[in-house]
Short mmCIF file of all heavy atoms in Angstrom, two decimals:
data_model
loop_
_atom_site.label_atom_id
_atom_site.label_comp_id
_atom_site.label_asym_id
_atom_site.label_seq_id
_atom_site.Cartn_x
_atom_site.Cartn_y
_atom_site.Cartn_z
N SER A 891 24.72 -3.58 -2.32
CA SER A 891 25.17 -4.57 -3.18
C SER A 891 25.41 -5.92 -2.40
O SER A 891 25.62 -6.96 -3.05
CB SER A 891 26.62 -4.16 -3.63
OG SER A 891 27.45 -3.87 -2.67
N GLY A 896 17.95 -5.81 1.35
CA GLY A 896 16.61 -6.02 0.70
C GLY A 896 16.17 -4.62 0.11
O GLY A 896 16.92 -3.68 -0.09
N HIS A 898 14.57 -0.95 -0.09
CA HIS A 898 14.50 0.19 0.82
C HIS A 898 13.19 0.93 0.52
O HIS A 898 13.00 2.10 0.94
CB HIS A 898 15.62 1.07 0.54
CG HIS A 898 15.62 1.69 -0.83
ND1 HIS A 898 15.93 0.83 -1.89
CD2 HIS A 898 15.47 2.88 -1.34
CE1 HIS A 898 15.78 1.57 -3.04
NE2 HIS A 898 15.57 2.78 -2.63
N GLU A 929 21.96 15.27 -7.65
CA GLU A 929 22.65 15.28 -9.05
C GLU A 929 24.19 15.57 -8.80
O GLU A 929 24.54 16.20 -7.81
CB GLU A 929 22.00 16.43 -9.89
CG GLU A 929 20.60 16.18 -10.33
CD GLU A 929 20.13 17.30 -11.29
OE1 GLU A 929 20.86 18.33 -11.40
OE2 GLU A 929 18.91 17.26 -11.61
N ARG A 933 23.72 15.39 -13.81
CA ARG A 933 22.97 14.15 -13.98
C ARG A 933 22.63 13.59 -12.65
O ARG A 933 23.32 13.80 -11.62
CB ARG A 933 23.82 13.13 -14.78
CG ARG A 933 24.30 13.68 -16.06
CD ARG A 933 24.83 12.56 -16.99
NE ARG A 933 23.67 11.65 -17.41
CZ ARG A 933 23.83 10.48 -17.96
NH1 ARG A 933 25.08 9.97 -18.19
NH2 ARG A 933 22.88 9.79 -18.28
N ILE A 934 21.49 12.78 -12.59
CA ILE A 934 21.05 12.19 -11.42
C ILE A 934 22.12 11.18 -10.83
O ILE A 934 22.76 10.46 -11.67
CB ILE A 934 19.71 11.45 -11.65
CG1 ILE A 934 18.63 12.48 -11.83
CG2 ILE A 934 19.38 10.60 -10.49
CD1 ILE A 934 17.37 11.98 -12.40
N ASP A 936 23.78 8.11 -9.31
CA ASP A 936 23.34 6.85 -9.48
C ASP A 936 24.07 5.76 -8.70
O ASP A 936 23.86 4.49 -8.76
CB ASP A 936 23.10 6.34 -10.97
CG ASP A 936 24.49 6.45 -11.67
OD1 ASP A 936 25.60 6.75 -11.09
OD2 ASP A 936 24.51 6.11 -12.85
N ASP A 938 24.61 5.51 -5.25
CA ASP A 938 24.00 5.09 -4.02
C ASP A 938 22.69 4.66 -4.20
O ASP A 938 22.07 4.86 -5.27
CB ASP A 938 24.14 6.16 -2.98
CG ASP A 938 25.48 6.75 -2.69
OD1 ASP A 938 26.46 5.87 -2.96
OD2 ASP A 938 25.65 7.78 -2.19
N GLY A 941 16.08 7.18 -4.19
CA GLY A 941 14.61 7.18 -3.97
C GLY A 941 14.31 6.73 -2.64
O GLY A 941 14.93 5.97 -1.96
N ARG A 942 13.06 7.21 -2.15
CA ARG A 942 12.56 6.76 -0.90
C ARG A 942 11.02 7.08 -0.89
O ARG A 942 10.62 7.92 -1.60
CB ARG A 942 13.22 7.40 0.33
CG ARG A 942 13.37 8.89 0.18
CD ARG A 942 13.94 9.49 1.45
NE ARG A 942 15.16 10.22 1.42
CZ ARG A 942 16.19 10.08 2.24
NH1 ARG A 942 16.15 9.25 3.17
NH2 ARG A 942 17.20 10.87 2.13
N ASP A 944 7.37 8.22 1.00
CA ASP A 944 7.00 9.48 1.72
C ASP A 944 6.99 9.18 3.21
O ASP A 944 6.45 8.27 3.71
CB ASP A 944 5.51 9.80 1.29
CG ASP A 944 4.93 11.09 2.00
OD1 ASP A 944 5.58 12.15 1.81
OD2 ASP A 944 3.93 10.85 2.71
N THR A 947 3.46 8.97 5.27
CA THR A 947 2.68 7.80 4.93
C THR A 947 3.27 6.51 5.41
O THR A 947 2.54 5.66 5.98
CB THR A 947 2.55 7.72 3.32
OG1 THR A 947 2.19 9.12 2.89
CG2 THR A 947 1.47 6.80 2.92
N ALA A 954 0.61 0.83 12.59
CA ALA A 954 -0.41 -0.23 12.66
C ALA A 954 0.43 -1.57 12.93
O ALA A 954 -0.25 -2.57 13.34
CB ALA A 954 -0.98 -0.48 11.11
N PHE A 969 9.23 24.00 2.28
CA PHE A 969 8.39 23.54 1.16
C PHE A 969 7.02 22.94 1.58
O PHE A 969 6.49 22.04 1.04
CB PHE A 969 9.08 22.67 0.14
CG PHE A 969 10.35 23.29 -0.33
CD1 PHE A 969 11.69 22.91 0.10
CD2 PHE A 969 10.34 24.37 -1.14
CE1 PHE A 969 12.76 23.44 -0.37
CE2 PHE A 969 11.42 24.99 -1.64
CZ PHE A 969 12.72 24.49 -1.06
N ASN A 970 6.59 23.43 2.75
CA ASN A 970 5.32 23.02 3.33
C ASN A 970 4.64 24.29 4.04
O ASN A 970 5.26 25.31 4.18
CB ASN A 970 5.54 21.97 4.45
CG ASN A 970 5.85 20.65 3.85
OD1 ASN A 970 5.05 20.00 3.28
ND2 ASN A 970 7.07 20.17 3.95
N GLU A 974 -0.99 22.47 7.14
CA GLU A 974 -1.10 21.10 6.54
C GLU A 974 -0.15 20.26 7.44
O GLU A 974 -0.48 19.11 7.74
CB GLU A 974 -0.55 21.15 5.10
CG GLU A 974 -0.93 19.97 4.34
CD GLU A 974 -0.43 19.92 3.00
OE1 GLU A 974 0.23 20.87 2.57
OE2 GLU A 974 -0.80 18.95 2.25
N ARG A 977 -1.62 19.58 10.74
CA ARG A 977 -2.72 18.60 10.61
C ARG A 977 -2.11 17.20 10.45
O ARG A 977 -2.62 16.17 11.08
CB ARG A 977 -3.35 18.80 9.24
CG ARG A 977 -4.52 19.66 9.33
CD ARG A 977 -5.48 19.41 8.13
NE ARG A 977 -6.45 18.50 8.48
CZ ARG A 977 -6.96 17.52 7.65
NH1 ARG A 977 -6.56 17.45 6.46
NH2 ARG A 977 -8.02 16.78 8.08
N SER A 981 -2.57 14.31 13.25
CA SER A 981 -3.28 13.04 12.82
C SER A 981 -2.38 11.90 13.15
O SER A 981 -2.82 10.83 13.64
CB SER A 981 -3.41 13.09 11.28
OG SER A 981 -4.38 14.17 10.96
N LEU A 985 -3.28 8.74 15.46
CA LEU A 985 -3.33 7.35 14.74
C LEU A 985 -2.26 6.38 15.43
O LEU A 985 -2.40 5.17 15.23
CB LEU A 985 -3.09 7.46 13.32
CG LEU A 985 -4.31 8.17 12.55
CD1 LEU A 985 -3.87 8.52 11.03
CD2 LEU A 985 -5.51 7.22 12.53
N GLU A 1004 12.40 23.79 -7.24
CA GLU A 1004 11.89 23.56 -8.59
C GLU A 1004 10.81 22.49 -8.61
O GLU A 1004 10.02 22.30 -9.55
CB GLU A 1004 12.90 23.15 -9.52
CG GLU A 1004 13.77 24.35 -9.95
CD GLU A 1004 15.02 23.99 -10.88
OE1 GLU A 1004 15.17 22.78 -11.17
OE2 GLU A 1004 15.71 24.84 -11.28
N ASN A 1005 10.62 21.78 -7.58
CA ASN A 1005 9.59 20.68 -7.41
C ASN A 1005 8.31 21.31 -6.79
O ASN A 1005 7.30 20.60 -6.63
CB ASN A 1005 10.04 19.51 -6.63
CG ASN A 1005 10.86 18.64 -7.56
OD1 ASN A 1005 10.80 18.58 -8.78
ND2 ASN A 1005 11.69 17.85 -6.96
N ARG A 1007 5.35 24.64 -5.88
CA ARG A 1007 4.60 25.84 -6.45
C ARG A 1007 5.43 27.08 -6.10
O ARG A 1007 5.45 27.94 -6.92
CB ARG A 1007 3.26 25.90 -5.73
CG ARG A 1007 2.23 24.73 -6.15
CD ARG A 1007 0.95 25.03 -5.42
NE ARG A 1007 0.12 23.98 -5.58
CZ ARG A 1007 -1.17 24.08 -5.96
NH1 ARG A 1007 -1.70 25.36 -6.15
NH2 ARG A 1007 -1.92 23.12 -6.14
N ARG A 1044 -24.65 12.50 23.51
CA ARG A 1044 -25.86 12.14 22.70
C ARG A 1044 -27.21 12.78 23.23
O ARG A 1044 -28.08 13.26 22.52
CB ARG A 1044 -26.01 10.66 22.67
CG ARG A 1044 -24.96 9.91 21.86
CD ARG A 1044 -25.38 8.50 21.89
NE ARG A 1044 -24.52 7.70 21.03
CZ ARG A 1044 -23.29 7.10 21.37
NH1 ARG A 1044 -22.86 7.38 22.62
NH2 ARG A 1044 -22.53 6.53 20.58
N GLY A 1047 -27.16 16.53 22.77
CA GLY A 1047 -26.81 16.92 21.41
C GLY A 1047 -25.61 17.83 21.23
O GLY A 1047 -25.34 18.44 20.14
N PHE A 1049 -21.89 18.09 20.56
CA PHE A 1049 -20.66 17.43 20.22
C PHE A 1049 -19.48 18.14 20.63
O PHE A 1049 -18.57 17.59 21.26
CB PHE A 1049 -20.66 17.33 18.72
CG PHE A 1049 -19.37 16.54 18.27
CD1 PHE A 1049 -19.41 15.08 18.33
CD2 PHE A 1049 -18.23 17.16 17.85
CE1 PHE A 1049 -18.28 14.33 17.98
CE2 PHE A 1049 -17.10 16.47 17.52
CZ PHE A 1049 -17.12 15.03 17.55
N LEU A 1050 -19.47 19.50 20.46
CA LEU A 1050 -18.45 20.36 21.01
C LEU A 1050 -18.90 21.15 22.17
O LEU A 1050 -20.06 21.58 22.23
CB LEU A 1050 -17.92 21.40 19.90
CG LEU A 1050 -17.18 20.90 18.73
CD1 LEU A 1050 -16.86 22.00 17.75
CD2 LEU A 1050 -15.94 20.10 19.06
N ALA A 1053 -17.93 26.54 20.44
CA ALA A 1053 -18.00 26.68 18.96
C ALA A 1053 -16.70 27.17 18.31
O ALA A 1053 -16.47 27.04 17.11
CB ALA A 1053 -19.08 27.73 18.69
N HIS A 1068 -5.23 32.64 9.67
CA HIS A 1068 -6.16 32.67 10.80
C HIS A 1068 -7.28 31.69 10.38
O HIS A 1068 -7.40 31.34 9.22
CB HIS A 1068 -6.72 34.07 11.09
CG HIS A 1068 -7.43 34.71 9.97
ND1 HIS A 1068 -8.79 34.71 9.94
CD2 HIS A 1068 -7.09 35.27 8.82
CE1 HIS A 1068 -9.13 35.39 8.73
NE2 HIS A 1068 -8.12 35.65 8.12
N ARG A 1070 -9.77 28.20 11.78
CA ARG A 1070 -9.88 27.09 12.67
C ARG A 1070 -9.21 25.81 12.34
O ARG A 1070 -9.35 25.37 11.25
CB ARG A 1070 -11.40 26.87 12.85
CG ARG A 1070 -11.98 27.87 13.75
CD ARG A 1070 -13.56 27.65 13.88
NE ARG A 1070 -13.82 26.41 14.70
CZ ARG A 1070 -14.90 25.86 14.85
NH1 ARG A 1070 -16.05 26.35 14.26
NH2 ARG A 1070 -15.15 24.72 15.50
N ASN A 1072 -8.52 21.91 12.35
CA ASN A 1072 -9.58 20.99 12.40
C ASN A 1072 -9.20 19.58 12.88
O ASN A 1072 -9.87 18.61 12.67
CB ASN A 1072 -10.36 20.85 11.01
CG ASN A 1072 -9.47 20.30 9.94
OD1 ASN A 1072 -8.19 20.07 10.05
ND2 ASN A 1072 -10.05 19.85 8.80
N ARG B 504 -25.38 10.79 17.00
CA ARG B 504 -26.23 10.68 18.16
C ARG B 504 -26.87 9.34 18.33
O ARG B 504 -27.54 8.90 19.27
CB ARG B 504 -27.28 11.73 18.19
CG ARG B 504 -26.62 13.14 18.33
CD ARG B 504 -27.68 14.28 18.48
NE ARG B 504 -28.32 14.12 19.68
CZ ARG B 504 -29.30 15.06 20.02
NH1 ARG B 504 -29.51 16.15 19.23
NH2 ARG B 504 -29.95 14.98 21.18
N GLU B 505 -26.76 8.41 17.22
CA GLU B 505 -27.26 7.08 17.28
C GLU B 505 -26.51 6.23 18.23
O GLU B 505 -25.25 6.38 18.38
CB GLU B 505 -27.20 6.52 15.89
CG GLU B 505 -28.20 7.07 14.83
CD GLU B 505 -29.69 6.59 15.18
OE1 GLU B 505 -30.04 5.57 14.70
OE2 GLU B 505 -30.39 7.42 15.76
N ALA B 508 -23.41 4.61 16.91
CA ALA B 508 -22.28 5.52 16.44
C ALA B 508 -21.19 5.54 17.58
O ALA B 508 -21.56 5.19 18.78
CB ALA B 508 -22.70 6.91 16.16
N ASP B 538 -12.20 14.43 3.23
CA ASP B 538 -11.27 15.35 4.08
C ASP B 538 -11.50 16.74 3.59
O ASP B 538 -12.20 16.93 2.51
CB ASP B 538 -9.78 14.90 3.66
CG ASP B 538 -8.88 15.34 4.83
OD1 ASP B 538 -9.40 16.02 5.74
OD2 ASP B 538 -7.69 15.00 4.73
N GLY B 539 -10.97 17.63 4.36
CA GLY B 539 -11.10 19.08 4.04
C GLY B 539 -10.01 19.82 4.81
O GLY B 539 -9.53 19.25 5.85
N GLY B 541 -10.53 22.57 6.58
CA GLY B 541 -11.06 23.23 7.59
C GLY B 541 -12.19 22.44 8.19
O GLY B 541 -12.45 21.39 7.80
N THR B 554 -22.22 23.56 17.27
CA THR B 554 -21.55 22.69 18.22
C THR B 554 -22.30 21.40 18.41
O THR B 554 -21.96 20.49 19.04
CB THR B 554 -21.51 23.25 19.65
OG1 THR B 554 -22.94 23.66 20.00
CG2 THR B 554 -20.70 24.52 19.64
N GLY B 559 -14.14 18.46 13.04
CA GLY B 559 -12.75 17.93 13.26
C GLY B 559 -12.60 16.58 12.60
O GLY B 559 -13.54 15.82 12.52
N ARG B 560 -11.43 16.37 11.89
CA ARG B 560 -11.16 15.13 11.30
C ARG B 560 -9.68 14.90 11.10
O ARG B 560 -8.95 15.81 11.09
CB ARG B 560 -11.93 14.90 10.04
CG ARG B 560 -11.69 15.91 9.03
CD ARG B 560 -12.55 15.54 7.76
NE ARG B 560 -13.20 16.55 7.02
CZ ARG B 560 -14.34 16.34 6.43
NH1 ARG B 560 -14.90 15.19 6.42
NH2 ARG B 560 -14.87 17.31 5.91
N ASP B 562 -6.32 13.66 8.93
CA ASP B 562 -5.80 13.65 7.62
C ASP B 562 -6.12 12.32 6.89
O ASP B 562 -5.70 11.18 7.34
CB ASP B 562 -4.30 13.82 7.63
CG ASP B 562 -3.72 13.94 6.09
OD1 ASP B 562 -3.38 12.81 5.55
OD2 ASP B 562 -3.67 14.99 5.67
N SER B 568 -3.40 5.11 5.24
CA SER B 568 -2.10 4.42 5.38
C SER B 568 -2.05 3.66 6.64
O SER B 568 -1.57 2.53 6.79
CB SER B 568 -0.98 5.42 5.36
OG SER B 568 0.19 4.78 5.28
N ARG B 569 -2.73 4.19 7.73
CA ARG B 569 -2.77 3.52 9.01
C ARG B 569 -3.59 2.22 9.00
O ARG B 569 -3.29 1.20 9.59
CB ARG B 569 -3.42 4.41 10.06
CG ARG B 569 -3.60 3.87 11.45
CD ARG B 569 -2.32 3.49 12.17
NE ARG B 569 -2.59 3.08 13.50
CZ ARG B 569 -3.01 1.85 13.79
NH1 ARG B 569 -3.26 0.94 12.88
NH2 ARG B 569 -3.13 1.51 15.13
N ALA B 585 -6.82 19.72 -3.96
CA ALA B 585 -5.71 20.22 -4.89
C ALA B 585 -5.53 21.75 -4.75
O ALA B 585 -4.47 22.17 -5.13
CB ALA B 585 -6.24 19.95 -6.36
N THR B 588 -2.57 22.44 -1.66
CA THR B 588 -1.53 21.36 -1.52
C THR B 588 -0.54 21.20 -2.56
O THR B 588 -0.89 21.78 -3.73
CB THR B 588 -2.08 19.99 -1.01
OG1 THR B 588 -2.76 19.45 -2.14
CG2 THR B 588 -2.99 20.12 0.18
N GLU B 589 0.53 20.63 -2.45
CA GLU B 589 1.58 20.50 -3.49
C GLU B 589 1.39 19.07 -4.12
O GLU B 589 1.44 18.13 -3.54
CB GLU B 589 2.97 20.47 -2.82
CG GLU B 589 3.32 21.74 -2.22
CD GLU B 589 3.79 22.83 -3.18
OE1 GLU B 589 3.88 22.43 -4.40
OE2 GLU B 589 3.90 23.96 -2.86
N HIS B 592 4.20 16.63 -3.18
CA HIS B 592 3.89 15.82 -1.83
C HIS B 592 2.87 14.75 -1.97
O HIS B 592 3.04 13.68 -1.49
CB HIS B 592 3.49 16.82 -0.75
CG HIS B 592 4.50 17.77 -0.24
ND1 HIS B 592 5.91 17.21 -0.02
CD2 HIS B 592 4.60 19.03 0.07
CE1 HIS B 592 6.68 18.31 0.53
NE2 HIS B 592 5.98 19.38 0.46
N LYS B 595 4.01 11.61 -4.01
CA LYS B 595 4.85 10.57 -3.33
C LYS B 595 4.06 9.95 -2.18
O LYS B 595 4.13 8.78 -1.85
CB LYS B 595 6.17 11.23 -2.81
CG LYS B 595 5.99 12.22 -1.76
CD LYS B 595 7.44 12.90 -1.53
CE LYS B 595 7.37 14.25 -0.90
NZ LYS B 595 6.84 14.18 0.48
N THR B 599 3.35 6.06 -2.01
CA THR B 599 3.72 5.35 -0.84
C THR B 599 2.48 4.55 -0.26
O THR B 599 2.69 3.48 0.22
CB THR B 599 4.31 6.31 0.10
OG1 THR B 599 5.37 6.87 -0.43
CG2 THR B 599 4.80 5.49 1.38
N HIS B 623 -6.44 29.75 5.95
CA HIS B 623 -5.54 28.78 6.67
C HIS B 623 -4.19 28.64 6.12
O HIS B 623 -3.29 28.19 6.80
CB HIS B 623 -6.24 27.39 6.78
CG HIS B 623 -7.50 27.46 7.62
ND1 HIS B 623 -8.41 26.38 7.48
CD2 HIS B 623 -7.89 28.33 8.46
CE1 HIS B 623 -9.42 26.69 8.43
NE2 HIS B 623 -9.15 27.77 8.90
N GLU B 650 -7.02 24.07 -12.54
CA GLU B 650 -5.76 23.91 -11.74
C GLU B 650 -5.70 22.45 -11.20
O GLU B 650 -4.72 21.78 -11.11
CB GLU B 650 -5.83 24.81 -10.46
CG GLU B 650 -4.58 24.68 -9.59
CD GLU B 650 -4.67 25.66 -8.32
OE1 GLU B 650 -5.77 25.56 -7.83
OE2 GLU B 650 -3.66 26.24 -8.06
N ARG B 672 20.50 -2.12 -9.53
CA ARG B 672 21.53 -2.60 -8.55
C ARG B 672 22.58 -3.43 -9.32
O ARG B 672 22.74 -4.57 -9.11
CB ARG B 672 20.83 -3.54 -7.52
CG ARG B 672 19.86 -2.87 -6.64
CD ARG B 672 19.37 -3.87 -5.51
NE ARG B 672 18.37 -3.14 -4.66
CZ ARG B 672 18.36 -3.04 -3.34
NH1 ARG B 672 19.29 -3.65 -2.66
NH2 ARG B 672 17.44 -2.48 -2.72
N ARG B 674 25.90 -4.55 -9.77
CA ARG B 674 27.10 -4.63 -8.93
C ARG B 674 28.36 -4.37 -9.81
O ARG B 674 29.34 -3.79 -9.39
CB ARG B 674 27.27 -5.90 -8.24
CG ARG B 674 26.40 -5.93 -7.00
CD ARG B 674 26.68 -7.15 -6.14
NE ARG B 674 25.36 -7.78 -5.97
CZ ARG B 674 25.29 -9.02 -5.41
NH1 ARG B 674 26.36 -9.74 -5.19
NH2 ARG B 674 24.10 -9.55 -5.06
N PHE B 679 23.21 1.98 -8.95
CA PHE B 679 22.02 1.47 -8.20
C PHE B 679 20.75 1.73 -9.16
O PHE B 679 19.93 0.80 -9.16
CB PHE B 679 21.72 2.25 -6.91
CG PHE B 679 20.63 1.90 -6.20
CD1 PHE B 679 20.71 0.75 -5.29
CD2 PHE B 679 19.31 2.54 -6.28
CE1 PHE B 679 19.59 0.33 -4.64
CE2 PHE B 679 18.23 2.04 -5.56
CZ PHE B 679 18.41 0.97 -4.68
N ARG B 682 19.90 5.81 -14.69
CA ARG B 682 19.35 7.10 -14.68
C ARG B 682 18.77 7.45 -16.04
O ARG B 682 18.00 8.35 -16.08
CB ARG B 682 20.36 8.14 -14.29
CG ARG B 682 21.61 8.13 -15.00
CD ARG B 682 22.68 9.07 -14.37
NE ARG B 682 23.93 8.91 -14.96
CZ ARG B 682 24.97 9.46 -14.37
NH1 ARG B 682 25.03 9.91 -13.26
NH2 ARG B 682 26.25 9.33 -15.10
N ASP B 683 18.97 6.69 -17.07
CA ASP B 683 18.22 6.97 -18.29
C ASP B 683 16.75 6.56 -18.16
O ASP B 683 15.95 6.92 -19.02
CB ASP B 683 18.85 6.24 -19.48
CG ASP B 683 20.25 6.77 -19.75
OD1 ASP B 683 20.50 7.94 -19.44
OD2 ASP B 683 21.06 6.00 -20.31
N TYR B 687 12.80 13.79 -15.93
CA TYR B 687 12.37 15.02 -15.50
C TYR B 687 10.99 15.24 -16.17
O TYR B 687 10.76 15.01 -17.34
CB TYR B 687 13.28 16.22 -15.96
CG TYR B 687 14.64 16.08 -15.22
CD1 TYR B 687 15.66 15.53 -15.94
CD2 TYR B 687 14.75 16.45 -13.93
CE1 TYR B 687 16.83 15.39 -15.25
CE2 TYR B 687 16.01 16.37 -13.30
CZ TYR B 687 17.07 15.89 -13.93
OH TYR B 687 18.30 15.67 -13.30
N LYS B 698 9.40 20.37 -11.69
CA LYS B 698 10.59 19.75 -12.41
C LYS B 698 10.58 18.23 -12.38
O LYS B 698 10.79 17.61 -13.42
CB LYS B 698 11.84 20.22 -11.78
CG LYS B 698 13.10 19.76 -12.35
CD LYS B 698 13.28 20.49 -13.67
CE LYS B 698 14.68 19.94 -14.43
NZ LYS B 698 14.77 20.59 -15.73
N GLY B 699 10.47 17.53 -11.20
CA GLY B 699 10.64 16.14 -11.13
C GLY B 699 12.14 15.73 -11.14
O GLY B 699 12.94 16.61 -11.14
N ILE B 702 10.60 11.61 -5.98
CA ILE B 702 11.61 11.00 -5.05
C ILE B 702 11.20 9.55 -4.86
O ILE B 702 12.14 8.73 -4.47
CB ILE B 702 11.62 11.79 -3.71
CG1 ILE B 702 12.89 11.47 -2.90
CG2 ILE B 702 10.35 11.62 -2.95
CD1 ILE B 702 14.16 12.14 -3.30
N THR B 703 10.08 9.13 -5.15
CA THR B 703 9.56 7.81 -4.78
C THR B 703 9.34 7.01 -6.10
O THR B 703 8.85 7.60 -7.14
CB THR B 703 8.17 7.90 -4.10
OG1 THR B 703 8.33 8.66 -2.86
CG2 THR B 703 7.67 6.53 -3.74
#
Side-chain angles (χ1 to χ4, degrees):
Chain A
S891 56
H898 64 292
E929 290 180 2
R933 302 194 68 191
I934 289 167
D936 60 359
D938 298 340
R942 49 173 123 221
D944 177 63
T947 314
F969 303 110
N970 283 291
E974 197 181 9
R977 272 199 94 214
S981 296
L985 292 167
E1004 284 177 359
N1005 281 335
R1007 292 179 186 230
R1044 289 183 175 87
F1049 183 81
L1050 288 182
H1068 62 99
R1070 283 180 64 189
N1072 69 348
Chain B
R504 297 182 66 178
E505 288 288 276
D538 206 356
T554 56
R560 57 175 139 213
D562 180 272
S568 189
R569 176 64 177 77
T588 62
E589 292 282 354
H592 286 316
K595 66 186 161 66
T599 302
H623 293 162
E650 182 185 47
R672 294 189 185 230
R674 281 188 229 170
F679 184 82
R682 56 190 170 193
D683 293 334
Y687 296 100
K698 179 77 182 172
I702 194 83
T703 305

